[in-house]
Amino acid sequence: MNPAETFCAQLYAVHSGRVPLFVGMQRPFRKVYPLVFQNHEGMPLGLVGCAWNEGMDPDLAQLYHISAFQPGSGAGSEIMSALCALADELQVRITTQPELIGVGVPGWAVPDDGEAALRRWYTRFGFTRIAGVHLERSPKLTPPTA
């Protein structure tokens, strides 16, 4: 398994809950089922869908979906921090194409500057724009262990 496959496999192994829908496809049309991300106490925080796809760099995982069950609670940041820590450990880059969701959903408060706020949120975790609307995060280098 390459580093990106290992990243996805470890993430899906730790968080065994699945949602019966798919969040993205990449030729050859592999479905990506989001997992229910839980904190260390087993509390469900949100959904994550990621995969490595044939033809991609072996150190590049695609993040198709990330969402918190309770937006604005800090759960999304907790999830992203865990994803970034695992990516750093395995030296994996993460790519994504973020999209603001929640507009028009009853009971969800989306800030007036929602798109800019979403970009700032991803920037906090080290994502930068690489082309069009795609963002990518490079892993932090970890010192070699003795």
Side-chain angles (χ1 to χ4, degrees):
M1 245 192 298
N2 66 42
E5 288 175 300
T6 301
F7 171 84
C8 296
Q10 285 187 14
L11 188 62
Y12 275 84
V14 171
H15 304 282
S16 58
R18 297 289 178 272
V19 178
L21 57 87
F22 61 89
V23 296
M25 295 185 299
Q26 176 77 22
R27 290 178 191 233
F29 301 111
R30 294 174 56 196
K31 295 178 180 176
V32 177
Y33 292 89
L35 59 90
V36 177
F37 190 97
Q38 298 174 323
N39 66 10
H40 294 295
E41 292 78 38
M43 170 74 90
L45 299 179
L47 301 177
V48 172
C50 68
W52 175 79
N53 295 295
E54 293 291 332
M56 289 176 55
D57 292 342
D59 69 332
L60 184 64
Q62 186 167 1
L63 180 61
Y64 286 102
H65 182 87
I66 179 170
S67 63
F69 291 139
Q70 295 182 346
S73 68
S77 292
E78 187 173 341
I79 294 168
M80 186 60 85
S81 292
L83 295 177
C84 291
L86 181 59
D88 290 348
E89 177 185 327
L90 297 172
Q91 291 297 285
V92 169
R93 295 176 294 142
I94 303 172
T95 186
T96 190
Q97 184 176 337
E99 180 180 336
L100 185 63
I101 59 174
V103 176
V105 176
W108 282 22
V110 177
D112 291 337
D113 71 337
E115 293 291 337
L118 184 61
R119 284 191 300 275
R120 287 191 304 269
W121 186 79
Y122 275 95
T123 299
R124 284 189 2 226
F125 296 98
F127 284 85
T128 58
R129 184 167 311 281
I130 57 167
V133 294
H134 289 88
L135 303 179
E136 187 174 301
R137 179 190 183 272
S138 294
K140 294 180 181 173
L141 297 176
T142 55
T145 56

